[in-house]
Amino acid sequence: MTTAPGAVDEVEELAVDGLRWLTGTARETPGGGLAWPARPSDDQLEPTFYSGTAGAVPLLLEAWRHFGDDAYADTALRAARSLADSVAGIDHDSLCFGRTGVALALRTVHEELGDRAAGAAADRALRLVRSRFDGTRWGDLFELLGGNAGIGLGALLCGDTELAVLAVEPYLRTAERTPAGVHWAHRPDVESRLHHISHGTLGIVLALARVGDATGRTDLVELALAGAADVVARDEAGPEGFLVRHSTPQFRPDLIEPVSYGWCHGPTGDAQVFRLLGDVTADPAWTTLADRCWHTVTHSGLPRRLRPGFWDNNGRCCGTAGVLALACDRITTQTEQTERTERTERAGQAGQAGHTEQARHRDSYDFARVLVADLTARAIRDGEGARWSNFDHRATPGDLEPCTGWAMGNAGIVPGLLRFVRLHRGTDTHRTGFL
């Protein structure tokens, strides 16, 4: 790796400053808990994974593992205490905007820190989720962030396979046939069909594949493959790249760009789904598609802000941190592949495969460095720590207030910095996956 001596330490210091700002924006709740607003200026505390407290928990646990500092674990426990108290009062049941995401944060605290109260609260939350199912859905949204797919994935990650299957089975009877496969309406009152991970077909594919693979339900996996086939048929960038429009017909064209490149509605998120399908099916065609997504991302111009509205976000959902998560996953995978190839070549089966993997590894690592450098340059740092402002070219002033949560703020940005540090030091071996 080619990062200059000391530079990776500076990245780690930035992550520490990001953690300091985040913990400094927390507010005490009755009973000794801690909770976060979506933005420091907000009066309302936000329990959700997408914008608030539940999304801060994974970062706190990652910081605890990374630094070995129990103060981060103690902060996660206090966050779990406030989340446990919020379970009954949450209006939404989804993974990112509601009770399932809170349950996942609580379950993680229980598993990693042994907090039984957090585990009991997670069970209570999932019982409430199950009780609010109408037989087909939980509300208008019918996708990953706000609907069945996310509830199914969250339940699976919490260990509740029965609820996971309950959530995704309705996709079997609601799928709409297309010339190449299937897709779904993300809400009943919208004509447009969305295609990507956050609100579209590939988010549903992700949940179907994960739940189907974990439970031995081949019908769910086959439906996932049919959904992916529909999206693949819409590619406009082949043969080297991969780029699919946001939706067909374009959803809210007055506000939404027809193409984007991030995790939520672009090839960054598409690549994560294709990599999962490669793991589930052992079909190398999905790995090739993921590589084509990467080609498009790295040739798009990001993280440069080439024009108004292009790449104005630093966050995990639709900005630089989400691309960094994919880059780090690719580095991990390619390191594993390189090591396997080198073992084979040492056994007397020499070839060019090892050199190819090394080149791909360098490509992923070099682009990760570009992303980290951009996040470093755009950080706002002062005595309170570090945070990031996203930008809205339609507003004056355009600089937005920094956010705390997983989607747009520190809780989603800082984990990528910490992971880059571990990858540089050779101490990271896991893939990020969905979250």
Side-chain angles (χ1 to χ4, degrees):
M1 295 184 179
T2 57
T3 297
V8 75
D9 295 335
E10 295 172 7
V11 175
E12 190 172 53
E13 290 170 6
L14 175 61
V16 170
D17 282 349
L19 283 158
R20 182 158 54 87
W21 182 84
L22 183 68
T23 55
T25 60
R27 299 177 190 170
E28 292 194 9
T29 62
L34 285 176
W36 279 263
R39 291 167 293 272
S41 66
D42 292 348
D43 293 329
Q44 182 176 347
L45 297 176
E46 180 62 65
T48 67
F49 196 97
Y50 190 87
S51 301
T53 305
V57 167
L59 169 58
L60 293 166
L61 293 174
E62 180 159 354
W64 169 61
R65 293 189 300 268
H66 182 97
F67 295 106
D69 185 344
D70 287 343
Y72 293 119
D74 292 341
T75 304
L77 288 168
R78 294 184 66 190
R81 199 171 304 158
S82 77
L83 289 174
D85 291 340
S86 74
V87 163
I90 297 172
D91 292 331
H92 215 276
D93 290 294
S94 64
L95 176 63
C96 284
F97 310 133
R99 197 174 279 111
T100 300
V102 169
L104 180 57
L106 289 164
R107 176 68 67 218
T108 306
V109 169
H110 175 215
E111 291 177 349
E112 296 205 23
L113 301 178
D115 185 63
R116 293 183 179 180
D123 291 340
R124 188 166 69 252
L126 291 179
R127 285 196 297 271
L128 282 168
V129 172
R130 184 181 276 101
S131 73
R132 290 159 60 92
F133 182 52
D134 72 1
T136 299
R137 60 204 303 150
W138 277 265
D140 284 345
L141 291 175
F142 197 56
E143 29 74 300
L144 187 72
L145 265 61
N148 286 49
I151 291 172
L153 179 60
L156 181 68
L157 295 172
C158 285
D160 190 338
T161 55
E162 181 180 329
L163 177 58
V165 171
L166 185 74
V168 300
E169 279 186 325
Y171 292 117
L172 290 164
R173 60 180 183 271
T174 56
E176 301 170 351
R177 281 283 160 198
T178 70
V182 299
H183 63 195
W184 294 266
H186 84 285
R187 54 187 301 161
D189 58 342
V190 173
E191 175 190 6
S192 300
R193 296 296 178 260
L194 279 59
H195 306 308
H196 299 279
I197 193 170
S198 62
H199 298 299
T201 297
L202 286 182
I204 296 169
V205 166
L206 173 75
L208 287 166
R210 286 287 298 271
V211 174
D213 185 52
T215 60
R217 288 286 299 268
T218 57
D219 56 337
L220 299 178
V221 175
E222 289 169 358
L223 186 62
L225 295 174
D230 173 78
V231 177
V232 171
R234 299 177 187 274
D235 169 48
E236 299 179 4
E240 290 187 344
F242 186 86
L243 189 65
V244 171
R245 289 176 175 266
H246 174 277
S247 47
T248 307
Q250 177 64 34
F251 180 60
R252 304 193 70 182
D254 54 324
L255 293 177
I256 297 173
E257 296 270 351
V259 297
S260 57
Y261 297 90
W263 176 86
C264 51
H265 293 293
T268 298
D270 301 350
Q272 296 286 26
V273 179
F274 295 152
R275 291 168 66 247
L276 168 66
L277 293 176
D279 291 342
V280 168
T281 65
D283 183 346
W286 297 112
T287 302
T288 299
L289 280 165
D291 289 342
R292 286 168 54 186
C293 290
W294 181 249
H295 177 89
T296 293
V297 168
T298 56
H299 287 76
S300 67
L302 69 84
R304 289 173 291 151
R305 298 184 174 180
L306 300 177
R307 56 180 171 76
F310 182 86
W311 215 250
D312 290 342
N313 195 303
N314 301 295
R316 177 68 174 79
C317 183
C318 48
T320 303
V323 183
L324 179 59
L326 175 61
C328 290
D329 281 352
R330 288 178 61 87
I331 293 167
T332 298
T333 300
Q334 289 155 3
T335 298
E336 294 169 352
Q337 292 171 341
T338 298
E339 290 172 349
R340 285 196 297 269
T341 301
E342 287 174 349
R343 287 195 295 270
T344 300
E345 292 177 349
R346 284 196 297 270
Q349 302 174 25
Q352 293 298 315
H355 298 295
T356 300
E357 288 303 329
Q358 289 171 3
R360 286 154 54 96
H361 182 279
R362 284 193 298 272
D363 171 67
S364 299
Y365 183 76
D366 288 345
F367 199 70
R369 284 196 305 143
V370 170
L371 301 170
V372 169
D374 189 76
L375 289 171
T376 301
R378 296 189 186 281
I380 303 166
R381 302 179 80 171
D382 56 23
E384 297 178 355
R387 62 275 193 197
W388 289 262
S389 171
N390 299 315
F391 189 84
D392 186 349
H393 71 282
R394 298 164 298 187
T396 303
D399 290 316
L400 304 178
E401 182 180 359
C403 295
T404 63
W406 171 83
M408 303 295 179
N410 279 39
I413 295 170
V414 174
L417 300 176
L418 291 175
R419 188 158 180 224
F420 178 80
V421 169
R422 295 195 301 274
L423 285 166
H424 177 80
R425 294 172 178 167
T427 59
D428 188 277
T429 57
H430 79 283
R431 281 193 278 176
T432 303
F434 167 60
L435 302 177

